[in-house]
C-alpha cells in the first residue's frame, strides 16, 4: 500500500511540475521544502534512513519527471529501444588493477579495466598491469587509443548492429524533459558546490523562517596529520577520542565533516578554537567554515545528486548528450562561464566521467579546459590536495587523444598555453640574468609544477603524419615559447671551484635536475616532431641557433691568444674550467646538436642556408667545458665543492639523464670535430683540459697532488678522444638504426655480468612510452638461462657478439668499466686466448662526419701519444699510470683499424689516412717514434698486463704495412709472429695429455689385477664366507646363503618374540659451542639438541575449527585422547645441532641479556617464551631435547618362546586387568564403569585360572634406567615447554598433562614426518634429512623417558583411561568411542605408559626386554584391530576391485565386514571382500607407516629393505610394514587368530551409542586414509587472481574504499587486510583480519598472498611476520613485488611446491626469524594489524 502511495505521489508531483508554467521554479520550491527536512536535521537519523527518505521523497519524483511514467517501466523501454554503448568509460578507483597493451596501445596512458581486458584480444599480447592512482577511465571502445582491437567482446559494435548515434536516440519530448531537468539540477548542484561561506541562499531556496541552526564544518587538508586533527577536535569541540577519530576518518574520506551543530555564536566560538589550536601544531590553521543548516542540507543533497547523475547518464547515450549540452551551454550572463567551467574552476570533481564520453562534447570540453588551463593549474598548485582528485588530472583524458591534441595545437596553441603556465609559475625563480636559480624553493609546490610537464608530454605523444599550415605555424610558435624556457635553463646554477677551504653550504641542485628529467622525453619528442617535416626541422634549427646565440652565460673575460704546438697555431680565447664559473645545464646547446644530426639524417642539411655562418668552435665551447668539469671532478680537483657537484656529475652521465645531457655534449664535440681542423680541435681540447703546457713540454711540477691530477686528466682526455672517434652509434652519424643502438647497449651490459631482465631494463634508457626496445633485440644478442627454485632468470651474451665489446664504452661508469674488463679478460683466459681487449671495428661515419677520423692521424695526436708512451719507457713513474697507457694503446688500435679498413676499401693512392706512416716516421731519428716506443713498452715489467695488446698492435702495424705495399704476407705475418709461442704451448699441452692417458691405463690395469685376486680368494675360502656372522655379510649380500638371508629377514622385526636386537652403537658428538667431543650416555653430562615446539594445523581435517583444550587434569578429552580430525597438534622440530646442556644454558642467558636491549627484538624472538636462535644456523628454537642413548639389548629368544606359549592376548588382557584393579589408584576410584565389570565379564575373556595382582611381574622385570641429574633436569625443561606451548597454558611441571603432551608431540611429529615423506613420494626410511632423523629419534627417546619423571600413579591412571577405549570393560563414563580417537596417538601413549604398571611400592621396576616385546605386540595387535574397525565404520563407499577368485584375505575381510554390519545394524550395498580389503589396507597404511617409524626410533631395530627403497609397490610395502610390526601380512587374520577375546570387544565397540549416532549421519566422521593437506590451487595466470580481487567486497564495509584483498593459502579464504573495517579482538588486543584468521586457520601461523602487492606474507604469532617472494614469475624468470614492472605473471609450480614444503615441514617460523635477522629492523611493522 505504502509502495502504491509512493508511486502516486511521485507521479502526481511530476505531472504537476510538467503542467506548471515554470517547471524549474516548481522543482526548486519542492527542494526548498523537502531537503532541509531530510538532511542535517537536529536529531540525526541513521545513514540508511536518510538514504531511504532521499530515494522516496526526492529522487523518485525526479525520476518520474524524467521518464514521464513509473521509472522502472521507463527504464525497461529505454533498454529495449537502444543498443549498448560501445565505450566502457569505467572510472577507476584508487588501487584498481588496470592493463595496458605494449603492442597495441597508442601510448602507455591507454588502459583497460579488468573486465574489458579479460574479454579482449590484448590478453594474449605483451601487456602490462599496474595499480591505478584513481580517477582515470577505461579506454575500451576508443578507436584512437588502440592500433588494433579497440573493443572487447562486450563493447564490440558488431557489423549487424552498427549503431548510429544521433540526437534522436531519445524521443523529442523525452529529450526536452531531460534537458529541462538537467538544467535546473545542474545549476542547483553547481551553485552549492562552488558555495562561498559569505553567500546567502537565492530567493527561490530561501526558507520562510530562518532558524538559528548552524554547522561548524571542518575541511580536509594535507598539512595536518590524523593525530593533529584528533587532538584539535578533542580540545575544541569537547568530544571524546572515539568521536574525534570518526570525525577525522570521515573528513579524510569525504573531504569535509560537520563537527558541531549549534547557534551561530557557539559555532563561531568552536571555529576560533579549532583555528587557534591547530595553528599551535602546524603553521597553517585548519580550514573551518560556518554554514547555515539549510545550506548544509542543500550541499549534502547536491553531492548525492552527483552520483545520481552518474547513474542516470549511464542509462542512455541521449542522456549523456543532454547532460553535456546543458553543462557546456554558454551562460546567458556573458561574464559568467558555462556551468562545467564554473565547476572546473572550483575543482569540484563531480562529473568528470560524463563529459569525455561523447566525441563532440569532448572537443568542446577540451577547449574549455585549455582556456582555463593556466588558472586551473595555479589553483592546483596553491591547493594542497592530491592530483588524483583534482580536475587537472583530466588532462590525461584530453591531451592524449591524437586528433584532439592536434586540434588544440591548431585552435588554442595548447603547447604555448602549457609552457606559458610553467614559465609563469617558475618566474619567481629567475635571477637578474634571466636564468633559473632554485635556492630556497618549496619542494611540494615545485613537484606540483613539474606535473604540468606531463601534460606537454601527452600533447606530443603521437607525432602527426600530415602537417597542415596551421599546425606548422602554431607548432613553431609553441616551440619558440619552449625555447624561451630552455633559455632560462641554459647555464643556470653555475659552479665555481673552491680553493683553500671546503664549501660552507651545499648548493641546491636537485630542482635543476628534476626539471631536466621532466624535460628529457619532451626534448626527444620535440626533436621527433621536427624530424617528421623538413620545413619544421630547418626552421627549428635556425630558431634554436638564434636563441642560443642570445645566451650570455659564462662569457670569456679575456681576448683571444695564439697557442702553438707542433707548428700549428690556434687563435682562441683562454678559459679555465678550474678557475671560472661553469654550468652543467646546457639544454639549448644539446637540443641544437640533436637537431643537427636530424638534419644530416634526413638530408635536409643540404638545404641549410649559409652553413659557413655557424661557428662550431663557439658552439662546442660550453659542452666541452661541461665534459672537462666531469673529468676534473673525476680527478678529484673539486673535492672542496662537496657532494652536490659529485651528484650532479653522476646524474649527468647516468641512464636517467645522459641521452639529453652527456650524449648530446659528446655529439656536439663530434660535430665540431667534423667541422674544425683536426689539429686545432685537439689543441682546443688540450687547452680546456688544462694539459696544453703539460704536453708542450714547457711545464713541470714537484707537487705530487698536481702530478696525480695531471695523470687523471690525461686519462680522461685520452678517453674523450676514444669516445669522439669511436662512438658512432647515433642514427644520422653512421648508418645504424635505433635497434642497433639498443643491441650495443645490451651487449655491453651483459659483458659486465649475466643479468636479469629487470636489471637490463634499468640499465637502458626509456622512451616516452616507457619502452626500452629490449624485447626486440634480446634474442639476437643473448641466451636465456631459466631460474631454479630461487633466484631469477639470467641473460648471457652470445659468444659471437663478443667481438663488438668495447672496453671504453662511453656509457660505462668507472666501476662498470673495471668489472667488464675483468670479466672479459677472465673469459679470454678460460678460452686460452690472449688477454688483449682489442677495439671493435666501428660502423663507418656518414659523409657529414667522415672527417672526424682525421683526429687519429693528425700531428697533435702523434705528439700526444709519443709523450704518453715515452714516460714508462723512460721510467718516470710519477708521470704515468697504467690506465693512461691502456687508453693510448686503445687509440693506436682504433687508428690502425681505421687505416686497415680504408686500405681494404680503396686503393692506396686514394687513402689519405696515414697514421702508421707517421707513427713509424715522426721521432724515429731519436728512437722515439710511436712504433719504436711500442716495441720498448713490451719489456717494461710493470706493464705486463698490456703485453698482449702491444703484441697485437705490432702485428697490426705489419698488416697495414703489407696492405700499403700490396704484398700478401699479411696473413702469414700475423701467423708467424704467434707461431713460436703457440707451438711451445701446444707441445706442453700434448705432453700433459699423453701423461694423463698413460696414468689412466696404469690405474685400470692394477684394478683388474686386484679384482681377479679378490675373486680367487673368495672361491678358495668359500666355507669361511658361508659361516660368517651377520655383521660381516652386510657389505656383500650376494655371498649370503638362503638360510642366512631368512634369518636376517626375521630379525627385521621391531616387536614381539622375534624382534631384532638393538645394535650397540657408541654415539660421539661435538658441541657446537665449545667444540669438545663427548659420548652420549645415560649417566654422562647431558648433550641437548636445539628444538622448536609449535602448535600446528598441517594435518587437520577440520580447518578453521580449533578446539578449546582447557580441560582440567581429570577429564578424558584432549590431550588424553587426540581426536581423529587432528585439529591442532604439537610439533617439535629440530635443526639437528648439538650442545652440552651447560653450554646451552650459558648461551641462553647471554642471549637473554644482550638481546633485551636490541631494537625491535620482539619481532624476531620472544624472550618471554624462552626463544633463541640456534648459534650455528640461526634457526628459531624455544627449547632443547636431551639426547638419550638406546639401551643395547641382547634378546633371549628361548625365554621368549616359552613365555609366548602362556602369554596369549586373552591372558595378557586378564593379567593387565588384574594389575590395574590391584593398583590402589584405580581401586579407590568410584568412577569405574561397573556394568560388565563383574567376574563373569572377565571370565568370558580367559581360559586359565584367575590371575592375581602380581602375576604381571612373573613374566620378567628389571631395574629401570638411571639418568644423570643433568639429563633429568633437561627432561623437565623440554617437557614443560611442550606442555606450555601445546596447551597454551602457564608453565607447570607438576601438571598431570605434562607426560600426555610429551607423548602427543612424539606422535604428532612422526605423523607430520610421514605426511611429508608420502607427499614427496620418498621411501619411509633412508630419505630423511639428518636434522629430521636426529630430531625424531631424540623426541621418541625423550617421550619414553618421560614416565620416569612423573608420578607413576598418574601414568598408571593415563594408561588405564587410554586402555578403556580398547577394552570397554575398563572404560569410564566419558571414555570416547572408536570413532573419536586417533589410534596412532593412542598407540604411542599406551606403549610409553605400560611400563608404569610394573611399579611396586618399595622398588622401582620396569618390564624386561621379553615382557616389553609382548606388551608391544599385544598393544599393536589390539590397536590395529580397533583401527581396522574404525576404518570400516567410517567408510561408506568401497572401491570396485577387478579380481577373479576370492583370496583368503578377501574372505576374512568379508567376514569381518558382515560382523561389523551385524553389530551396527547398518545395511550396506554388496561390497566384495576384495574391495573391503583394499579399502581397509589403504585406510590403515598411514597408521602402519607411523608405527614403523616410531618403533624403529624406540627399539633401534633396522627396518626391512623394502621400506628403504623407492619404487616398491603398495602391496610390497604393506607386507614389509606388517612383517616389521609383527602383524600377519593379511591383517584380517588378526580377527581370526584372536577370535575369542575380540568377538565381545567387537560387539562393545560397535554398540557404543556415539558410534550409532555417527553412523546415522548426525556427527561428521573422518574418512581414512585422511585427506592430505596441501596449499590451495592457484590459477596459472596472475591476472585471474587480480580479477578475483577486483570483485572482492569486504563483508564488513559498504564504502568503495580501496581494500587489500589477501588470500589465505591454507584454506582459500579472501580477507580484507590492513583495513580498519575488519579489525577484531584477539586475547584482548585489537588485530587485523589476517592475524585473527591465522589464529583459527593455522594455530597462529599463516601464509597469505597479498594480491595487489603480489607478495607472500608469512605470519607466526601476533607480532611476527615477514614477506616472501610470490610464486609467480614473469617470462624472464623474475618475481614482481608490488607489480612494479607489470609484466604478465605465471605460476611457477616448483616455487609453489617449495612454499608447500615450507609449511608442511613446519619451517615458517624459522623462515621469518631468518629473514628478520638479515634485515636490520629500524621501523617496526605492525604485523598484527595486517
Amino acid at each position: 500500500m505504502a509502495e502504491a502511495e509512493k508511486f502516486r505521489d511521485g507521479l502526481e508531483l511530476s505531472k504537476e511540475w510538467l503542467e506548471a508554467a515554470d517547471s524549474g521554479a516548481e522543482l526548486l520550491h519542492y527542494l526548498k521544502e523537502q531537503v532541509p527536512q531530510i538532511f542535517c536535521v537536529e536529531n540525526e537519523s541513521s545513514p540508511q534512513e536518510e538514504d531511504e527518505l532521499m530515494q522516496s521523497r526526492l529522487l523518485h519524483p525526479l525520476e518520474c519527471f524524467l521518464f514521464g511514467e513509473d521509472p522502472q517501466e521507463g527504464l525497461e523501454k529505454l533498454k529495449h529501444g537502444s543498443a549498448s554503448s560501445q565505450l566502457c568509460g569505467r572510472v577507476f578507483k584508487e588501487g584498481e588493477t588496470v592493463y595496458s597493451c605494449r603492442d597495441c596501445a597508442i601510448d602507455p596512458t591507454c588502459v583497460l579495466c579488468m573486465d574489458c581486458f579479460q574479454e579482449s584480444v590484448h590478453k594474449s599480447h605483451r601487456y602490462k598491469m599496474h595499480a591505478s592512482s584513481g580517477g582515470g577511465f577505461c579506454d575500451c571502445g576508443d578507436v584512437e587509443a588502440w592500433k588494433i582491437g579497440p573493443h572487447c567482446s562486450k563493447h564490440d559494435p558488431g557489423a549487424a548492429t552498427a549503431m548510429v548515434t544521433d540526437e534522436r536516440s531519445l524521443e523529442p519530448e523525452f529529450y526536452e524533459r531531460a534537458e529541462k531537468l538537467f538544467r535546473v539540477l545542474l545549476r542547483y548542484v553547481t551553485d552549492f558546490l562552488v558555495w562561498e561561506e559569505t553567500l546567502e541562499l537565492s530567493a527561490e531556496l530561501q526558507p520562510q523562517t530562518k532558524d538559528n541552526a548552524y554547522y561548524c564544518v571542518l575541511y580536509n587538508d594535507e598539512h595536518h596529520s590524523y593525530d593533529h586533527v584528533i587532538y584539535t577536535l578533542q580540545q575544541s569541540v569537547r568530544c571524546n577520542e572515539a568521536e574525534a577519530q570518526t570525525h577525522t576518518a570521515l573528513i579524510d574520506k569525504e573531504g569535509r565533516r560537520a563537527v558541531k551543530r549549534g547557534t551561530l555564536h557557539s559555532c563561531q566560538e568552536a571555529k576560533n578554537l579549532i583555528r587557534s589550536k591547530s595553528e599551535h601544531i602546524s603553521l597553517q590553521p585548519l580550514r573551518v567554515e560556518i554554514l547555515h543548516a539549510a545550506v548544509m542540507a542543500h550541499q549534502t543533497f547536491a553531492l548525492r545528486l552527483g552520483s545520481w547523475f552518474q547513474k542516470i547518464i549511464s542509462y542512455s547515450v541521449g542522456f549523456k548528450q543532454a547532460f553535456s549540452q546543458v553543462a557546456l551551454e554558454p551562460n546567458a550572463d556573458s561574464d559568467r562561464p558555462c556551468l562545467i567551467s564554473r565547476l572546473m574552476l572550483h575543482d569540484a570533481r563531480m562529473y568528470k566521467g560524463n563529459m569525455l564520453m561523447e566525441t563532440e562534447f569532448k572537443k568542446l570540453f577540451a577547449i574549455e579546459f585549455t582556456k582555463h588551463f593556466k588558472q586551473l593549474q595555479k589553483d592546483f598548485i596553491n591547493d594542497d590536495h592530491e592530483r588524483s582528485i583534482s580536475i587537472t588530472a583530466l588532462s590525461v583524458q584530453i591531451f592524449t587523444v591524437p586528433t584532439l591534441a592536434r586540434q588544440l595545437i591548431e585552435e588554442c596553441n595548447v603547447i604555448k598555453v602549457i609552457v606559458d603556465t610553467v614559465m609563469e609559475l617558475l618566474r619567481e625563480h629567475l635571477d637578474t640574468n634571466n636564468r633559473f636559480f632554485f635556492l630556497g624553493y618549496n619542494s611540494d609546490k615545485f613537484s606540483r609544477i613539474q606535473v604540468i610537464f606531463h601534460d606537454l608530454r601527452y600533447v606530443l605523444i603521437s607525432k602527426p603524419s600530415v602537417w597542415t599550415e596551421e599546425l606548422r605555424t602554431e607548432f613553431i610558435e609553441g616551440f619558440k615559447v619552449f625555447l624561451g624556457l630552455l633559455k632560462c635553463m641554459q647555464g643556470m646554477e653555475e659552479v665555481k671551484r673552491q680553493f683553500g677551504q671546503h664549501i660552507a653550504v651545499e648548493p641546491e641542485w636537485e630542482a635543476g635536475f628534476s626539471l631536466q628529467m621532466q624535460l628529457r622525453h619532451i626534448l626527444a619528442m620535440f626533436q621527433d616532431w621536427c624530424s617528421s617535416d623538413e620545413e619544421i626541422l630547418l626552421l627549428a634549427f635556425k630558431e634554436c641557433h638564434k636563441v642560443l646565440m642570445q645566451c650570455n652565460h659564462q662569457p670569456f673575460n679575456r681576448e683571444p691568444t695564439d697557442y702553438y704546438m707542433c707548428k700549428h697555431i690556434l687563435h682562441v680565447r683562454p678559459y679555465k674550467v678550474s678557475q671560472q664559473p661553469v654550468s652543467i645545464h646546457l639544454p639549448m646547446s644539446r637540443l641544437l646538436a640533436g637537431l643537427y644530426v636530424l638534419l644530416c639524417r634526413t638530408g635536409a642539411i643540404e638545404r641549410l642556408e649559409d652553413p659557413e655562418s655557424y661557428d662550431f668552435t663557439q658552439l662546442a665551447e660550453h659542452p666541452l667545458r661541461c665534459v672537462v668539469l666531469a673529468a676534473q671532478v673525476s680527478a678529484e680537483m673539486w673535492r672542496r665543492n662537496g657532494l652536490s657537484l659529485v651528484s650532479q656529475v653522476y646524474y649527468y652521465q647516468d641512464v636517467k639523464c645522459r641521452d639529453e645531457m652527456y650524449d648530446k655534449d659528446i655529439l656536439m664535440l663530434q660535430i665540431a670535430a667534423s667541422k674544425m681542423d683536426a689539429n686545432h680541435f685537439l689543441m682546443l681540447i688540450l687547452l680546456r683540459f688544462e694539459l696544453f703546457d703539460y704536453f708542450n713540454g714547457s711545464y713541470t711540477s714537484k707537487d705530487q697532488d698536481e702530478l696525480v691530477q695531471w695523470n687523471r686528466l690525461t686519462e680522461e682526455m685520452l678517453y674523450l678522444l676514444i669516445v669522439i672517434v669511436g662512438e658512432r652509434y647515433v642514427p644520422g652519424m653512421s648508418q645504424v638504426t635505433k635497434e642497433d643502438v639498443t643491441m650495443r647497449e645490451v651487449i655491453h651490459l651483459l659483458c659486465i655480468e649475466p643479468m636479469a631482465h629487470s636489471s637490463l631494463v634499468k640499465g637502458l634508457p626509456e622512451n616516452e612510452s616507457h619502452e626500452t626496445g629490449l624485447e626486440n633485440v634480446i634474442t639476437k644478442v643473448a641466451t636465456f638461462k631459466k631460474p631454479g627454485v630461487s633466484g631469477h632468470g639470467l641473460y648471457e651474451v652470445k659468444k659471437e657478439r663478443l667481438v663488438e665489446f668495447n672496453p671504453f664504452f662511453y656509457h660505462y661508469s668507472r666501476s662498470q668499466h673495471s668489472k667488464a674488463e675483468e670479466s672479459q679478460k677472465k673469459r679470454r683466459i678460460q678460452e686460452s686466448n690472449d688477454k688483449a681487449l682489442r677495439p671493435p671495428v666501428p660502423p663507418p661515419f656518414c659523409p657529414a662526419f667522415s672527417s672526424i677520423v682525421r683526429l687519429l692521424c693528425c700531428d697533435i695526436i702523434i705528439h700526444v701519444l709519443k709523450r704518453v708512451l715515452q714516460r714508462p719507457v723512460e721510467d718516470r713513474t710519477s708521470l704515468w699510470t697504467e690506465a693512461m697507457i691502456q687508453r693510448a694503446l686503445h687509440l693506436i688500435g682504433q687508428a690502425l683499424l681505421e687505416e686497415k679498413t680504408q686500405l681494404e676499401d680503396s686503393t692506396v693512392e686514394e687513402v689519405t689516412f696515414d697514421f702508421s706512416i707517421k707513427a713509424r716516421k715522426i721521432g724515429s731519428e731519436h728512437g722515439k717514434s710511436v712504433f719504436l716506443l711500442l716495441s720498448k713498452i713490451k719489456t717494461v715489467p710493470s706493464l705486463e698486463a698490456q703485453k698482449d695488446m702491444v703484441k697485437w698492435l705490432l702485428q697490426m702495424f705489419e698488416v697495414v704495412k703489407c696492405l700499403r705495399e700490396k704484398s700478401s704476407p699479411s696473413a702469414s705475418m700475423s701467423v708467424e709472429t704467434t707461431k713460436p709461442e703457440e707451438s711451445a704451448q701446444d707441445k706442453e699441452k700434448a705432453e700433459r695429455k699423453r701423461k694423463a692417458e698413460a696414468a689412466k691405463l696404469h690405474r685400470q690395469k692394477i684394478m683388474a689385477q686386484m679384482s681377479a685376486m679378490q675373486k680367487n680368494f673368495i672361491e678358495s675360502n668359500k666355507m669361511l664366507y658361508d659361516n660368517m656372522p651377520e655383521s660381516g655379510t652386510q657389505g656383500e649380500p650376494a655371498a649370503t646363503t638362503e638360510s642366512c638371508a631368512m634369518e636376517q629377514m626375521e630379525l627385521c622385526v621391531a616387536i614381539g618374540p622375534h624382534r631384532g636386537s638393538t645394535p650397540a652403537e657408541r654415539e660421539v658428538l661435538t658441541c657446537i659451542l665449545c667444540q669438545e667431543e663427548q659420548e652420549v650416555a645415560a649417566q654422562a653430562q647431558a648433550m641437548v639438541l636445539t628444538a622448536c615446539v609449535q602448535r600446528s594445523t598441517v594435518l587437520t581435517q577440520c580447518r578453521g575449527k580449533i578446539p578449546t583444550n582447557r580441560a582440567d587434569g581429570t577429564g578424558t578429552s584432549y590431550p588424553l585422547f587426540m581426536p581423529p580430525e587432528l585439529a591442532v597438534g604439537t610439533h617439535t622440530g629440530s635443526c639437528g645441532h648439538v650442545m652440552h646442556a651447560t653450554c646451552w644454558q650459558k648461551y641462553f642467558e647471554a642471549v637473554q641479556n644482550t638481546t633485551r636491549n636490541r631494537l625491535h627484538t620482539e619481532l624476531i624472538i620472544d624472550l618471554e617464551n624462552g626463544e633463541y636462535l640456534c648459534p650455528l644456523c640461526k634457526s628459531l628454537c624455544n627449547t632443547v631435547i636431551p639426547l638419550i642413548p638406546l639401551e643395547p639389548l641382547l634378546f633371549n629368544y628361548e625365554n621368549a618362546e616359552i613365555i609366548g606359549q602362556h602369554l596369549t592376548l586373552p591372558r595378557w588382557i586378564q593379567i593387565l586387568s588384574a594389575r590395574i584393579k590391584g593398583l590402589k589408584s584405580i581401586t579407590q576410584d568410584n568412577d569405574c564403569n561397573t556394568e560388565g565389570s563383574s567376574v563373569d565379564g572377565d571370565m568370558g575373556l580367559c581360559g586359565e585360572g584367575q590371575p592375581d595382582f602380581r602375576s604381571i611381574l612373573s613374566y620378567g622385570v628389571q631395574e629401570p634406567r638411571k639418568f644423570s641429574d643433568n639429563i633429568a633436569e633437561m627432561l623437565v625443561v623440554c617437557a614443560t615447554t611442550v606442555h606450555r606451548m601445546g596447551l597454551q597454558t602457564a608453565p607447570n611441571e607438576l601438571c598431570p598433562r605434562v607426560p600426555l603432551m610429551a607423548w602427543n608431540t612424539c606422535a604428532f611429529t612422526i605423523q607430520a614426518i610421514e605426511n611429508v615423506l608420502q607427499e614427496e613420494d620418498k621411501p619411509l626410511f633412508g630419505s630423511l634429512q639428518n636434522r629430521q632423523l636426529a630430531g625424531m629419534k631424540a623426541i621418541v627417546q625423550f617421550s619414553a623417558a618421560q614416565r620416569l619423571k612423573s608420578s607413576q600413579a598418574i601414568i598408571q591412571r593415563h594408561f588405564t583411561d587410554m586402555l578403556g577405549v580398547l577394552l570397554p570393560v575398563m572404560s569410564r563414563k566419558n571414555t570416547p568411542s572408536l570413532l573419536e580417537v586417533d589410534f596412532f596417538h593412542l598407540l604411542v601413549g599406551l606403549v610409553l605408559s605400560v611400563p608404569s604398571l610394573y611399579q611396586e611400592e618399595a622398588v622401582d621396576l620396569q618390564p624386561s626386554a621379553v615382557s616389553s616385546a609382548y606388551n608391544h605386540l599385544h598393544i599393536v595387535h589390539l590397536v590395529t584391530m580397533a583401527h581396522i574397525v574404525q576404518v570400516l565404520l567410517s567408510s561408506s563407499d568401497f572401491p570396485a576391485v577387478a579380481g577373479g577368485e576370492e583370496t583368503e584375505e578377501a574372505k576374512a575381510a568379508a567376514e569381518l565386514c558382515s560382523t561389523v554390519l551385524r553389530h551396527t545394524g547398518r545395511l550396506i550395498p554388496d561390497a566384495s571382500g576384495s574391495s573391503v580389503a583394499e579399502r581397509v589396507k589403504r585406510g590403515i597404511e598411514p597408521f602402519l607407516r607411523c608405527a614403523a617409524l616410531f618403533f624403529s626410533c624406540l627399539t633401534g631395530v633396522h627396518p626391512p629393505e623394502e621400506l628403504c627403497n623407492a619404487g616398491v609397490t603398495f602391496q610390497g610395502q604393506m607386507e614389509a610394514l606388517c612383517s616389521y610390526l609383527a602383524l600377519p601380512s593379511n591383517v584380517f587374520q588378526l580377527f581370526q587368530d584372536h577370535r575369542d577375546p575380540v568377538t565381545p570387544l567387537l560387539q562393545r565397540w560397535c554398540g557404543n551409542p556415539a558410534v550409532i549416532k555417527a553412523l546415522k549421519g548426525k556427527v561428521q566422521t573422518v574418512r581414512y586414509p585422511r585427506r592430505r593437506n596441501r596449499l590451495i590451487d592457484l590459477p596459472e595466470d596472475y591476472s585471474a587472481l587480480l580479477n578475483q580481487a577486483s570483485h572482492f567486497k569486504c563483508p564488513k564495509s559498504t564504502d568503495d574504499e580501496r581494500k587489500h584483498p589477501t588470500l589465505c593459502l591454507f584454506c582459500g579464504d579472501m580477507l580484507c587486510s590492513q583495513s580498519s573495517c575488519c579489525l577484531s579482538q584477539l586475547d584482548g588486543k585489537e588485530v587485523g583480519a589476517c592475524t585473527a584468521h591465522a589464529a583459527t586457520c593455522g594455530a597462529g601461523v599463516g601464509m597469505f598472498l597479498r594480491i595487489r602487492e603480489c607478495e607472500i606474507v608469512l605470519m607466526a604469532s601476533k607480532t611476527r611476520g615477514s614477506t616472501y617472494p610470490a610464486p609467480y614469475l614473469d617470462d624472464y624468470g623474475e618475481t614482481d613485488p608490488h607489480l612494479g614492472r607489470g609484466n604478465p605473471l605465471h605460476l611457477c609450480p616448483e616455487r609453489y611446491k617449495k612454499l608447500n614444503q615450507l609449511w608442511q615441514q613446519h619451517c615458517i617460523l624459522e623462515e621469518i626469524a631468518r629473514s628478520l635477522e638479515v634485515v636490520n629492523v629500524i621501523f617496526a611493522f605492525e604485523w598484527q594489524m595486517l
Side-chain angles (χ1 to χ4, degrees), residues 1065-1071 1075-1081 1087 1138 1140 1187 1189:
E1065 293 171 358
R1066 282 183 71 230
E1067 200 175 7
V1068 179
L1069 298 172
T1070 308
C1071 167
Q1075 296 300 310
E1076 283 181 17
E1077 288 189 345
Q1078 185 190 312
E1079 183 182 348
V1080 177
M1087 297 286 278
V1138 180
H1140 287 113
L1187 290 174

Side-chain angles (χ1 to χ4, degrees), residues 653-665:
Q653 293 170 327
D654 182 64
V655 67
K656 289 189 184 71
C657 302
R658 68 178 178 223
D659 43 4
E660 288 302 329
M661 294 187 90
Y662 174 65
D663 292 4
K664 289 289 193 288
D665 284 347

